[in-house]
Amino acid sequence: MKKLVEEINANIDCFKVNAEAQLVKGNKAAGARARKAALELMKQLKEFRKVSVDEAKK
């Protein structure tokens, strides 16, 4: 679970950097990277919820 949280945090950082680049600089490629990171974050957060519920049941 610790590794999953670290991956989520890294992906959040990636999203922040790329979203900021798109907003401030108008970088279209950064927008695509931010959207990709957002999709990956959704998957990771769903997995986190699943693992977290399993841990709570122990």
Side-chain angles (χ1 to χ4, degrees):
M1 186 161 148
K2 183 177 179 180
K3 182 180 177 189
L4 179 59
V5 171
E6 290 171 356
E7 289 173 1
I8 289 170
N9 285 329
N11 213 352
I12 288 171
D13 292 339
C14 177
F15 172 79
K16 285 181 185 179
V17 168
N18 287 303
E20 186 70 20
Q22 181 186 18
L23 290 172
V24 174
K25 299 176 184 175
N27 186 333
K28 292 181 182 180
R33 290 190 298 269
R35 290 189 298 275
K36 182 179 178 184
L39 288 173
E40 186 63 30
L41 269 171
M42 287 174 41
K43 293 176 189 175
Q44 290 173 327
L45 291 171
K46 287 178 183 179
E47 180 64 24
F48 173 79
R49 183 177 186 280
K50 181 180 162 185
V51 171
S52 179
V53 168
D54 288 343
E55 289 291 322
K57 290 180 180 178
K58 290 182 180 179

